[in-house]
Amino acid sequence: MLPEIEQFIEDYAEELVTGNAAYFVGAGISVDSSLPDWEGLIKPFTDKIGIEDLRGKDMPLMAQYVINEETGNRGPFINAISRKLRKSFSSNAYHEAIAKTNVKTIWTTNYDNLLEKVFGNITIDVKFTDESISRDVPDNQVEIIKMHGCIYNSHRNDIVVTQSDYEDFFLNRPAISQRLRLDLLQKSFLFLGYGYGDSNIKNIIIEARRLSGNNTRQHYLITKNKKDDPEVKLW
């Protein structure tokens, strides 16, 4: 094992033991549960508007195009996503590994409920609205913050999916945004299931940079090994 990986394991294990760790879970964690990926969700709609090749495309921007073509009507698109994600899926080994650790706070941009399901008899508090974010969580509970909404419980207008939703997130969700800023300052985040170019990562890294003058904690990203990609090093 590489020395830097050993050091990461040691450092982050200490953060978990002391209760100063948080996970930030992305769609890559649910892939092994056979959930459809972004391209699978959006392609039937982009085909209709003449965008057939989605390789390398910005998915929130593609979703924006789709909804713009519907004159702003989000209903058909969100309903289609909901039908695909509401099918019976099982948590996978990644979810199970997350549930076995001493983590008390999990942030996620995923709409599915696989994280909730994997904790079994452990009491969890799931939050997906500004109104719920200030709710106290007992020390023995696990808090799951679904910052982009929940496909089972959120109103379709509260699902963060388009480019404008991303751009306006910190304005439209002030309580969740403030909590995220606080956690970035007080907890060490481990990002799981994201690529380095993911729009979600971009927004969070920008926010962390804004807070850097206040000495944020060390944050980490585990992603696929792309050591031969020069853009990864530049990033």
Side-chain angles (χ1 to χ4, degrees):
M1 187 180 294
L2 294 173
E4 59 266 29
I5 295 178
E6 292 182 344
Q7 188 63 53
F8 155 69
I9 292 172
E10 182 178 336
D11 291 345
Y12 206 75
E14 184 175 344
E15 298 285 16
L16 283 165
V17 169
T18 57
N20 294 321
Y23 294 146
F24 210 114
V25 178
I29 293 299
S30 297
V31 168
D32 281 5
S33 294
S34 299
L35 265 77
D37 60 13
W38 250 113
E39 290 189 19
L41 291 171
I42 200 173
K43 195 172 190 316
F45 291 88
T46 54
D47 284 347
K48 291 179 182 178
I49 62 174
I51 304 175
E52 298 180 358
D53 187 358
L54 292 176
R55 288 174 297 181
K57 293 290 195 300
D58 184 327
M59 292 299 117
L61 184 59
M62 297 301 102
Q64 187 73 59
Y65 290 158
V66 168
I67 291 174
N68 286 352
E69 284 296 303
E70 295 289 335
T71 62
N73 181 11
R74 301 165 63 93
F77 183 63
I78 298 297
N79 289 342
I81 290 178
S82 178
R83 285 194 298 272
K84 290 184 178 181
L85 293 182
R86 283 171 175 264
K87 295 179 181 178
S88 180
F89 298 102
S90 298
S91 302
N92 60 53
Y94 294 115
H95 297 107
E96 292 168 3
I98 288 170
K100 290 177 181 177
T101 59
N102 187 48
V103 68
K104 297 300 181 186
T105 303
I106 301 175
W107 287 79
T108 183
T109 51
N110 295 349
Y111 311 119
D112 61 67
N113 68 344
L114 297 183
L115 277 171
E116 295 98 297
K117 290 169 66 174
V118 78
F119 280 94
N121 295 327
I122 298 174
T123 304
I124 58 173
D125 187 4
V126 183
K127 300 176 178 179
F128 51 87
T129 65
D130 256 26
E131 290 73 24
S132 64
I133 199 67
S134 61
R135 188 168 59 221
D136 290 336
V137 180
D139 291 339
N140 62 335
Q141 288 190 10
V142 176
E143 182 182 32
I144 300 176
I145 303 171
K146 305 180 79 168
M147 64 181 291
H148 284 178
C150 175
I151 207 66
Y152 288 90
N153 299 300
S154 295
H155 187 276
R156 65 181 57 161
N157 289 332
D158 293 329
I159 298 291
V160 176
V161 68
T162 67
Q163 184 71 26
S164 61
D165 293 337
Y166 279 69
E167 292 171 352
D168 297 338
F169 179 84
F170 290 101
L171 178 65
N172 294 335
R173 309 284 178 89
I176 291 179
S177 299
Q178 182 57 32
R179 170 62 189 279
L180 177 60
R181 293 185 181 104
L182 189 64
D183 279 6
L184 283 169
L185 288 168
Q186 296 181 345
K187 297 178 182 295
S188 184
F189 275 70
L190 176 59
F191 293 90
L192 302 164
Y194 293 102
Y196 75 94
D198 193 289
S199 297
N200 298 300
I201 291 295
K202 178 182 176 182
N203 290 339
I204 302 306
I205 292 298
I206 288 172
E207 193 59 28
R209 180 180 59 79
R210 288 173 178 162
L211 294 169
S212 61
N214 294 325
N215 299 313
T216 61
R217 298 181 69 90
Q218 180 71 51
H219 305 301
Y220 304 89
L221 167 69
I222 295 178
T223 189
K224 289 183 178 179
N225 187 357
K226 296 184 178 182
K227 62 182 179 180
D228 295 328
D229 185 347
E231 190 174 343
V232 174
K233 294 180 179 180
L234 292 170
W235 179 81

